[in-house]
Amino acid sequence: MTILVWDYLQEYEKERGDILDAVQQVFSSGQLVFGKSMRGFEEEFAAYHGVSHCVGVDNGTNAIKLGLQALGVGRGDEVITVSNTAAPTVVAIDAIGAIPVFVDVREDDYLMDVGQVEAAITPRTKCVLPVHLYGQCVDMEPLKALCARHGLVVLEDCAQSHGARYNGLLAGTMGDAAAYSFYPTKVLGAYGDGGATITSDSVVERRLRRLRYYGMEDRYYVVETPGHNSRLDDVQAEILRRKLRRLDAYIAGRRAVAERYAEGLGDTGLVLPTVNQSNNHVYYLYVVRHLRRDDILEALKAYDIVLNVSYRWPVHTMSGFAHLDQEAGSLPVTEKLADEIFSLPMYPSLSPDAQDKVIDALRQVLAAL
């Protein structure tokens, strides 16, 4: 049996009746786009977070892109973020003509080093985009205070942090707006692409609704301002609506897997995830470190265990962002982590037997190094 870093088939077998009923409900409703399911999910996702508005979109990248535009970020504006993230975070910034400005991450939790942000601010800085990476939140209290002093807007990237908390506050509720991905691997994942941006600012919400629908507002084919076609379709919305009711259970399952890893691997020499005292980690990924990462990954293939690295190539080192002129070595912690981190299988339906196989294989491989 091959063990993958992520698999949905066991979860699907358990939830198949509900998932197929969701599809049937939408298909028989007579409205496949902008229907009751999408409106219902928007209302319920906003309510889960205790915010006023949720605007469903077609994917997480556009959730960031439209979020930035709705907050007034545009061409030539600088957006401070991190390079240790999935490329779409930066792709979205670049897509609107804004300029990504990178700060390094902390070595213990791999999150934005808030202490470096102020030095990165220039007269062109408009926004800070903290990435709540791997399932826990950036240190938001000092970041919010800093942004308030400098008049900067904050867009939270919550693609990996559904249900995570910082000092009791849900990820996505601490900035001016927050962007989510519902890609199938996520803590709250669809059966295809999907995304959303949430806010309690009614002006931002109105802009978001225009932007996702060509720039139209009240009348079809009357464009108020140029926009996009970025709608969340009702099939995915209804599936997400059903799965949202199970989100806390999914998180509990992920935490149980994380506890089993901590017990089984705590004495092996792997650097296991650090959970900040202020955070409730939801373990979108279980990221560990070792100096001989690549040797470990290669050796695990003999055990039919296939893992991945999130992320092997920091965004600032990618050829597609060479125009940013970010020198190698400028983000030393990020670049060091890229050579050492890798992700263990992490999903709520991962069986104890499969997890024990991963733990036993890792112990054998590490002992042989």
Side-chain angles (χ1 to χ4, degrees), residues 56 74-75 89 112 149 180 227 298 304 342:
R75 184 166 299 279
T89 303
M112 174 183 277
R149 289 199 305 271
Y180 292 81
E298 185 62 30
D304 288 328
F342 62 104

Side-chain angles (χ1 to χ4, degrees), residues 125-158:
T125 306
K126 187 68 174 286
C127 175
V128 178
L129 205 168
V131 181
H132 300 318
L133 198 70
Y134 303 147
Q136 66 174 333
C137 296
V138 170
D139 197 2
M140 289 298 292
E141 284 187 5
L143 182 63
K144 286 177 61 181
L146 174 65
C147 291
R149 289 199 305 271
H150 289 272
L152 306 177
V153 295
V154 177
L155 176 66
E156 298 175 68
D157 182 342
C158 298

Side-chain angles (χ1 to χ4, degrees), residues 86-358:
T89 303
V90 184
V91 168
I93 298 169
D94 188 72
I96 63 170
I99 302 167
V101 175
F102 299 114
V103 296
D104 214 343
V105 296
R106 302 191 299 198
E107 191 161 353
D108 57 349
D109 59 14
Y110 321 144
L111 297 168
M112 174 183 277
D113 186 345
V114 174
Q116 297 189 23
V117 172
E118 189 157 30
I121 296 172
T122 75
R124 298 172 70 181
T125 306
K126 187 68 174 286
C127 175
V128 178
L129 205 168
V131 181
H132 300 318
L133 198 70
Y134 303 147
Q136 66 174 333
C137 296
V138 170
D139 197 2
M140 289 298 292
E141 284 187 5
L143 182 63
K144 286 177 61 181
L146 174 65
C147 291
R149 289 199 305 271
H150 289 272
L152 306 177
V153 295
V154 177
L155 176 66
E156 298 175 68
D157 182 342
C158 298
Q160 302 187 9
S161 59
H162 309 74
R165 290 182 182 270
Y166 169 86
N167 288 337
L169 299 173
L170 277 168
T173 66
M174 296 172 279
D176 297 283
Y180 292 81
S181 168
F182 304 123
Y183 187 74
T185 62
K186 304 302 183 185
V187 179
L188 178 62
Y191 276 69
D193 269 321
T197 307
I198 65 172
T199 185
S200 286
D201 187 319
S202 59
V203 174
V204 173
E205 180 248 357
R206 186 176 177 185
R207 291 173 182 166
L208 284 166
R209 295 198 185 280
R210 280 202 308 265
L211 285 165
R212 74 156 177 201
Y213 188 50
Y214 308 110
M216 301 175 189
E217 190 162 328
D218 298 321
R219 291 178 292 172
Y220 190 49
Y221 286 139
V222 178
V223 173
E224 305 289 338
T225 56
H228 311 270
N229 178 12
S230 302
R231 298 167 293 201
L232 176 64
D233 76 73
D234 273 59
V235 170
Q236 299 301 339
E238 185 59 36
I239 291 171
L240 287 166
R241 198 177 179 188
R242 308 290 182 95
K243 294 187 73 177
L244 178 60
R245 299 163 193 163
R246 299 188 282 271
L247 176 55
D248 291 342
Y250 295 150
I251 292 170
R254 288 174 178 272
R255 286 179 175 151
V257 172
E259 288 176 8
R260 196 178 188 94
Y261 279 140
E263 292 172 3
L265 297 170
D267 61 348
T268 60
L270 282 178
V271 179
L272 303 184
T274 296
V275 182
N276 295 328
Q277 188 173 10
S278 58
N279 278 331
N280 290 102
H281 205 313
V282 297
Y283 295 101
Y284 167 60
L285 297 176
Y286 193 89
V287 177
V288 298
R289 288 175 63 188
H290 197 281
L291 289 171
R292 296 185 62 182
R293 185 266 314 280
D294 291 341
D295 294 331
I296 294 169
L297 294 182
E298 185 62 30
L300 286 173
K301 293 178 183 177
Y303 296 83
D304 288 328
I305 297 171
V306 181
L307 305 184
N308 71 358
V309 179
S310 297
Y311 300 94
R312 186 184 292 272
W313 299 282
V315 178
H316 74 284
T317 68
M318 297 178 182
S319 60
F321 293 103
H323 60 283
L324 298 177
D325 294 325
Q326 186 91 30
E327 295 181 2
S330 60
L331 302 173
V333 177
T334 294
E335 293 171 33
K336 178 183 179 182
L337 292 175
D339 292 331
E340 299 177 6
I341 56 176
F342 62 104
S343 303
L344 304 189
M346 172 54 74
Y347 41 96
S349 59
L350 182 67
S351 70
D353 287 345
Q355 195 174 1
D356 286 343
K357 180 179 176 180
V358 173

